[in-house]
Amino acid sequence: MRLEITNIKIDHPFFIVFIGHLILFLFAFLYMIMFKPPYDIQNFIKVILVVLGYLIAFYLGTRYNLKIKKILMLALFILSILITYGSYAITDNIFLSFLYAIFVLGILEGYLRYRDKINFNNLFLFIGIASFLLLVSIKKGIPLFNYNIRMSIVSDPLRLISSGALTYAGIGKYFLIAFVILVLLGYKVHVLILCVSYLIYKYRKKSLNVRQMVIFGILLILFIGFMGKVILASSNQAWKLNFMELILYRAYFDIMVLEKIVNYPEILLGKITFVPNGERLIGKLLFNYSHNITSTMFGPLYFDFGVFGVVFAFILGMMSKLIYEKGDDKIYSIYAGVLLAMCEIGINYGFLIVLLALFYVSSRLRK
């Protein structure tokens, strides 16, 4: 029996986004109680109201039935442009940019045509392991234990290909292999997406109940906190917080970044959300620090468009509903994992590519 809140199941995209934000605010609140950092209660309430406004817009989007035929080819065209331009911004090589776009679109088309004939679990496992080994060979080290290598592969296509392929393969019988490799890759977000996708997939297959999911979720939070301490151990940063305190601090920091965004005197008109690595601009403008800064899911949208960003939240809700209803269990489970991760990270250029790719596949599966 599935838990429902106003007819919303716990694997529904709105429930996932709501729970993600609830956990963030709960952890931030616990940090404020434990460490009593300076904060303005009026600004804190203002942030809560902004998030509620965006959540309502997202929810309303999930109640709307999208007409697929009119926008399917448009979605594919935009996806092609985003992949090509994003690859070019990273590689500065037009040939490689088209090659990456052809590779990704070829994988999508191959999945749609031959998913009943080819074992994509084995294929994606091979792609994921091969990409990881090639990355390690090129960088001459394992990212988890070398902070400089980890920072150098932030936008590396091999990291993105490896993590995406391993997430798909890991939802099935290759979970442990995918889990170990993604841990060694050194990015907590990939581990989070894999584990959440796995839990959602098992829940949709009725192999897990709500209580078991909660237990595994708590263990996952603890592991990600421990992984964060391991990553920081190879950096030049000195942290006195233990791994659990670090988790609470990260949530508090995300909320404080969103507070700064809400109070910023101007909007950026897409310079963050629609530009590769645009989230670096958040750190540059708010902290004079050119580095990726997490700001909760709707932080980048608010920075770009202010209150008018709710329009994009509504569109995201519509597309999420279609993926939820029309995608197969694996496709949606992966999307659910990405959606939960975005609750902390914030909507960015890479997420737009994932969203359009899974939207296109789900729309085609419906046909």
Side-chain angles (χ1 to χ4, degrees), residues 263-280:
N263 290 304
Y264 198 75
E266 59 184 282
I267 58 177
L268 304 182
L269 300 177
K271 293 180 181 178
I272 296 173
T273 312
F274 300 108
V275 175
N277 288 326
E279 57 269 29
R280 290 176 178 268

Side-chain angles (χ1 to χ4, degrees), residues 30-53:
L30 288 175
Y31 182 84
M32 288 188 286
I33 292 176
M34 293 172 59
F35 297 94
K36 296 180 173 56
Y39 65 91
D40 188 322
I41 187 63
Q42 290 184 340
N43 281 330
F44 193 73
I45 293 175
K46 185 177 179 180
V47 167
I48 293 176
L49 293 176
V50 167
V51 171
L52 285 176

Side-chain angles (χ1 to χ4, degrees), residues 54-204:
Y54 272 80
L55 285 174
I56 291 172
F58 180 85
Y59 170 76
L60 293 176
T62 64
R63 314 305 293 178
Y64 184 84
N65 292 319
L66 194 61
K67 305 298 183 183
I68 301 174
K69 292 182 179 180
K70 297 180 179 180
I71 62 171
L72 184 57
M73 289 300 103
L74 176 61
L76 180 61
F77 174 74
I78 296 174
L79 174 62
S80 303
I81 297 298
L82 288 178
I83 296 173
T84 304
Y85 176 64
S87 300
Y88 181 74
I90 295 168
T91 64
D92 198 28
N93 186 309
I94 190 66
F95 173 75
L96 284 179
S97 301
F98 281 113
L99 189 63
Y100 283 129
I102 292 172
F103 175 78
V104 174
L105 296 178
I107 289 292
L108 296 180
E109 192 63 30
Y111 178 80
L112 288 166
R113 288 177 178 269
Y114 304 110
R115 67 193 190 97
D116 295 326
K117 301 176 182 179
I118 296 176
N119 190 326
F120 277 92
N121 281 327
N122 294 342
L123 176 61
F124 283 137
L125 180 68
F126 172 78
I127 292 174
I129 294 175
S131 300
F132 172 75
L133 293 177
L134 182 58
L135 185 67
V136 169
S137 176
I138 293 173
K139 297 298 181 178
K140 297 180 172 56
I142 297 176
L144 177 66
F145 305 116
N146 189 312
Y147 194 77
N148 292 329
I149 292 177
R150 180 181 179 276
M151 296 306 296
S152 71
I153 63 172
V154 168
S155 302
D156 196 307
L158 286 174
R159 176 178 77 88
L160 302 178
I161 291 172
S162 179
S163 60
L166 288 171
T167 298
Y168 185 92
I171 291 179
K173 60 183 179 181
Y174 299 122
F175 174 77
L176 289 178
I177 297 174
F179 179 81
V180 171
I181 295 176
L182 290 180
V183 169
L184 294 177
L185 200 56
Y187 280 81
K188 296 176 290 182
V189 63
H190 297 325
V191 176
L192 175 65
I193 291 173
L194 170 66
C195 292
V196 172
S197 301
Y198 182 79
L199 292 176
I200 294 293
Y201 180 75
K202 290 296 184 181
Y203 174 77
R204 288 170 73 91

Side-chain angles (χ1 to χ4, degrees), residues 236-254:
N236 295 322
Q237 304 177 47
W239 290 79
K240 296 181 180 179
L241 301 177
N242 61 44
F243 71 92
M244 193 60 210
E245 292 168 340
L246 184 60
I247 292 174
L248 300 182
Y249 170 76
R250 282 305 303 268
Y252 166 78
F253 177 77
D254 292 336

